[in-house]
Amino acid sequence: MSTFQIDTATSRANPTPAPMKRLTVPAIRAAKGKQPLVMLTAYTIRMAQILDPHCDMLLVGDSLGQVLYGLPSSLPVSLDMMIAHGAAVVRGSYHSLVVVDMPFGSYEESPEQAFRSASRVLKETGAAAIKLEGGEAMAETIAFLSARGIPVIGHVGLTPQAVNALGGYGARGRSQEEYAKLIGDAKAVSEAGAFALVVEGVVEPLAVEMTRAIDIPTIGIGGSADCDGQVLVIDDMLGMFDRVPRFVKKYAQLATQIDAAVAEYAEDVRARRFPTAEQTYQPKA
């Protein structure tokens, strides 16, 4: 049950929080090998309010490109889009550590470019950390950001921003060469100063070995239950889409429920059963 109460007399977007202490980067890092970390994506204030009591981290993922905007991939997502949604999620949460994805093209050019983009994200959203994709090639950038006070979560394995180079969204680590490279990527990201690592779409033995090989938490998405935590796209796990990746478990079927509710509403409107006296304003006696 949500610990937030909405003051409907003023605005749906102004929650009154129950007392909570927001989790910190050191607390997340210290969770390695202890209680598994719970992470979900969030893009809006209301969803953040609902998820916050149950999660350790909320990820404002660049998956919003597909989920919210209907884009063919995450590549067209802009820094402005990430900042707008990141600020909303921060406003709607009081407990979870909020992480914002760095969109494609906002950090790859140089550590300096990454710092400019990441510092803007933290200043304009209030989030605690950023996430960026890439292994050994991004180690210098991760070290540069970490040394300058910007907490970083790494992301290796299936990296959606590199979908064109990878040739699709298939699982990674099936060949010995790629398996070894990804182990090296995980170690490089950890040694560069990232405080956690998302491991996406890799064969399970690789996810397990990565988790044992590095001293920061691994957050699996299509990895293994043996990772130090798990993350899913919220709309996928709530059943908002018929087609989802293999690694998704649907914990609800909200699309079906919404369809039924809207169908009932449409019937009531057309039959003039809505609104009734309960939903209209009558003259005072």
Side-chain angles (χ1 to χ4, degrees):
M1 181 180 293
S2 173
T3 58
F4 294 94
Q5 300 296 321
I6 305 297
D7 181 0
T8 54
T10 56
S11 171
R12 292 182 178 86
N14 290 311
T16 302
M20 284 186 179
K21 184 177 180 181
R22 196 184 285 277
L23 288 169
T24 64
V25 167
I28 296 298
R29 181 166 186 153
K32 174 76 176 182
K34 299 175 183 176
Q35 183 72 19
L37 294 162
V38 178
M39 188 183 207
L40 285 168
T41 65
Y43 316 112
T44 64
I45 185 171
R46 185 58 183 140
M47 190 60 76
Q49 291 167 356
I50 295 168
L51 303 184
D52 190 51
H54 308 287
C55 293
D56 302 301
M57 292 183 283
L58 295 177
L59 173 63
V60 186
D62 60 359
S63 50
L64 62 81
Q66 295 110 306
V67 172
L68 297 185
Y69 291 94
L71 298 171
S73 72
S74 62
L75 298 183
V77 172
S78 70
L79 196 60
D80 286 341
M81 290 163 68
M82 297 306 305
I83 288 171
H85 289 277
V89 170
V90 170
R91 288 194 294 269
S93 60
Y94 293 85
H95 166 68
S96 303
L97 185 140
V98 178
V99 183
V100 178
D101 258 341
M102 297 285 283
F104 179 72
S106 69
Y107 63 94
E108 296 92 338
E109 181 181 335
S110 67
E112 290 79 10
Q113 183 209 25
F115 180 81
R116 288 192 297 271
S117 298
S119 61
R120 187 182 162 208
V121 167
L122 298 193
K123 286 193 292 185
E124 296 183 30
T125 67
I130 59 95
K131 180 175 76 67
L132 54 77
E133 295 183 8
E136 186 176 356
M138 295 309 302
E140 180 185 359
T141 294
I142 292 170
F144 189 90
L145 296 177
S146 299
R148 286 157 179 78
I150 297 181
V152 179
I153 292 182
H155 184 154
V156 300
L158 172 57
T159 47
Q161 292 177 8
V163 62
N164 291 326
L166 296 175
Y169 293 98
R172 320 309 300 179
R174 294 192 182 280
S175 70
Q176 289 185 346
E177 181 181 6
E178 187 176 52
Y179 190 107
K181 180 187 181 303
L182 289 172
I183 290 291
D185 283 340
K187 291 179 178 178
V189 168
S190 176
E191 292 167 2
F195 71 93
L197 177 67
V198 169
V199 177
E200 178 172 359
V202 302
V203 294
E204 186 170 20
L206 176 55
V208 173
E209 186 170 344
M210 282 183 179
T211 300
R212 294 173 179 170
I214 61 177
D215 62 0
I216 59 173
T218 55
I219 310 297
I221 176 167
S224 172
D226 287 337
C227 289
D228 298 300
Q230 302 294 327
V231 62
L232 284 175
V233 171
I234 185 64
D235 298 76
D236 287 345
M237 62 89 73
L238 291 179
M240 290 294 288
F241 295 103
D242 293 332
R243 184 179 179 183
V244 296
R246 172 189 174 89
F247 51 72
V248 172
K249 177 179 178 180
K250 292 185 180 181
Y251 286 82
Q253 296 291 341
L254 290 195
T256 301
Q257 292 177 260
I258 292 169
D259 180 74
V262 174
E264 184 178 356
Y265 165 75
E267 290 175 5
D268 283 355
V269 169
R270 290 171 180 137
R272 299 190 184 278
R273 292 190 298 264
F274 175 84
T276 67
E278 293 181 356
Q279 293 93 34
T280 56
Y281 300 97
Q282 303 302 319
K284 292 184 178 180

